Amino acid sequence: QVQLVESGGGLVQAGGSLRLSCAASGSFFSVSNMAWHRQTPGKAREPVASVTRGGTITYADPAKGRFTISRDNAKNAVFLQMQDLTLEDTGVYYCTADLKALGGAWQNYWGQGTQVTVSS
């Protein structure tokens, strides 16, 4: 069974920083794209940043200049360094990954989410 487990969320003051981590575990053959999404209050779930296995990175506008996504292919992990956090960054952050199961097809998996709360 494949799982994505996030960690690193929490409460931070506006202007502060947080680092989110996510690791894939279980039985799978390969990991392709990894990404972070978020759901903020009153808004639909939205992409934040993504990174391919080869290291190509894409940021959504709210993340540009403040967030940095990175990954460790050896550990099947992805990270999101967030700085200059604002109240609008409050929400649940989800890790996603495209994984190829052993003998199976590529599938998209989501983690359970980690809460990020930015206070004034």
Side-chain angles (χ1 to χ4, degrees), residues 1-26:
Q1 184 175 358
V2 175
Q3 278 190 312
L4 295 177
V5 180
E6 301 114 330
S7 62
L11 176 65
V12 63
Q13 284 192 323
S17 300
L18 277 177
R19 178 178 168 87
L20 306 182
S21 300
C22 171
S25 64

Side-chain angles (χ1 to χ4, degrees), residues 8-11 18 20 39 41 90-93 113-118:
L11 176 65
L18 277 177
L20 306 182
Q39 184 152 24
T90 294
V92 179
Y93 285 69
T114 185
Q115 176 70 42
V116 171
T117 302
V118 183

